Amino acid sequence: MSLDSLAHRWYASEGSRSPLLLLHGTGGDEDELVPFAQAAAPGAPMLAVRGAVSEGGKLRHFARHPDGRFDSSEVVRRADELAAFVAAARDRYGFGPPLALGFSNGANIAAALMLLHPALLTGAILLRAVPPLTGTAHAALVGRRAVVVSGETDSIAPPALGADLTLCLTKQGAEATHHVLPCGHDLTPADVTLARDWLSSLAEGAPAGPASSHLIRP
């Protein structure tokens, strides 16, 4: 796949941080998560990708059925396309396997990437995510790490679905944890702090701990 297939921005870095793959939510674009990523992982190289699907004029990474249900075949197709794009970007820009940072629809496509292309990512920060696929065979995720972050009052991506996704990743061998913050579907400073601390634990080699769901209050 050509790099021209998806609009994106590449932020190079001279540091040693792991590269991040930024995947925005519905209605966002490739710039949406850049400030978040810069705060959570200062100096990290970043590949920020714009979704290629428009839903009511709002950009997304995959289309849905008119009633909002996910179309598994569409999710798989878009995840395959994104995986091929990331591989092409790695060849062009010369970076190693990235860690995904996704919000909402971007977190859902990042989860699909983990499940369908386990060698593509080293792990993922999945903000306001739900299980993207059902009835699809997934590859083993041994050695991959993920953190799923839900909002306590989020009606779009309820904490129960975040817990389901965490369990799905864990069953495939990933080291996944689930956190619930006292907020809705919006991103908050607490998300940045949690992501920064989680990334620091990766750099220090700390164990991820068992899959769990717990509410974090300031």
Side-chain angles (χ1 to χ4, degrees):
M1 173 173 284
S2 166
L3 281 184
D4 297 331
S5 61
L6 290 175
H8 65 283
R9 296 186 192 277
W10 166 245
Y11 297 84
S13 173
E14 298 298 326
S16 58
R17 278 188 173 271
S18 297
L20 298 178
L21 171 65
L22 308 187
L23 300 167
H24 64 79
T26 299
D29 59 21
E30 65 274 25
D31 297 325
E32 180 181 53
L33 290 176
V34 171
F36 186 110
Q38 289 174 332
M46 299 179 293
L47 177 66
V49 182
R50 181 191 301 177
V53 173
S54 177
E55 182 179 273
K58 296 181 178 181
L59 293 173
R60 288 175 54 85
H61 296 281
F62 61 85
R64 296 182 289 190
H65 291 297
D67 62 3
R69 289 180 299 112
F70 290 177
D71 180 340
S72 293
S73 62
E74 163 75 356
V75 174
V76 170
R77 181 170 73 88
R78 294 295 182 178
D80 289 348
E81 291 176 354
L82 182 55
F85 170 82
V86 172
R90 287 188 58 191
D91 288 341
R92 170 71 66 83
Y93 300 121
F95 61 94
L99 185 146
L101 169 61
F103 168 57
S104 191
N105 176 247
N108 297 336
I109 197 67
L113 283 178
M114 285 195 74
L115 293 166
L116 298 171
H117 300 274
L120 185 77
L121 303 173
T122 60
I125 299 171
L126 306 173
L127 307 168
R128 313 301 185 268
V130 302
L133 294 165
T134 57
T136 302
H138 307 316
L141 289 170
V142 176
R144 300 297 184 263
R145 302 179 75 171
V147 59
V148 180
V149 187
S150 301
E152 183 182 14
T153 60
D154 189 349
S155 60
I156 298 173
L161 292 182
D164 288 346
L165 174 57
T166 306
L167 181 60
C168 174
L169 296 171
T170 302
K171 285 183 174 179
Q172 299 308 125
E175 296 181 67
T177 55
H178 180 218
H179 300 281
V180 182
L181 298 177
C183 61
H185 198 68
D186 54 314
L187 292 178
T188 70
D191 288 281
V192 177
T193 299
L194 194 155
R196 183 174 60 242
D197 291 347
W198 187 79
L199 289 168
S200 295
S201 74
L202 294 188
E204 295 166 0
S212 61
S213 297
H214 59 280
L215 177 64
I216 300 175
R217 293 194 182 279

